[in-house]
Amino acid sequence: MIQIAVSIPEPLYEAAKRIQAMEGWNESEMHRLFWEKGFALHVQGTLARHQLGLISSEESLAES
């Protein structure tokens, strides 16, 4: 496992905590869901830019 520390604005964290309480998630579930969903959205954007030709194959391989 890798531990990662992040800083986010307090109002955003408080909103996430309210959602956590409504959904009944524990702390680790909340962090895992936000990490996975956020990463999935980032990948969608990267793939879209690649499909539009805004990122070449060489560039996308170099980022890995």
Side-chain angles (χ1 to χ4, degrees):
M1 290 267 191
I2 296 174
Q3 184 173 1
I4 299 171
V6 298
S7 296
I8 60 171
E10 190 171 347
L12 179 61
Y13 181 73
E14 295 302 325
K17 296 294 283 182
R18 288 193 298 274
I19 292 170
Q20 175 190 356
M22 289 187 312
E23 295 288 347
W25 300 330
N26 64 36
E27 188 82 9
S28 62
E29 286 175 310
M30 178 183 74
H31 290 286
R32 181 184 59 80
L33 284 165
F34 284 146
W35 167 257
E36 289 176 2
K37 298 236 180 223
F39 183 70
L41 287 172
H42 178 74
V43 168
Q44 286 176 354
T46 299
L47 290 174
R49 288 191 305 277
H50 178 71
Q51 290 171 342
L52 290 171
L54 301 175
I55 300 175
S56 68
S57 296
E58 294 78 26
E59 285 178 312
S60 61
L61 292 175
E63 291 177 359
S64 301

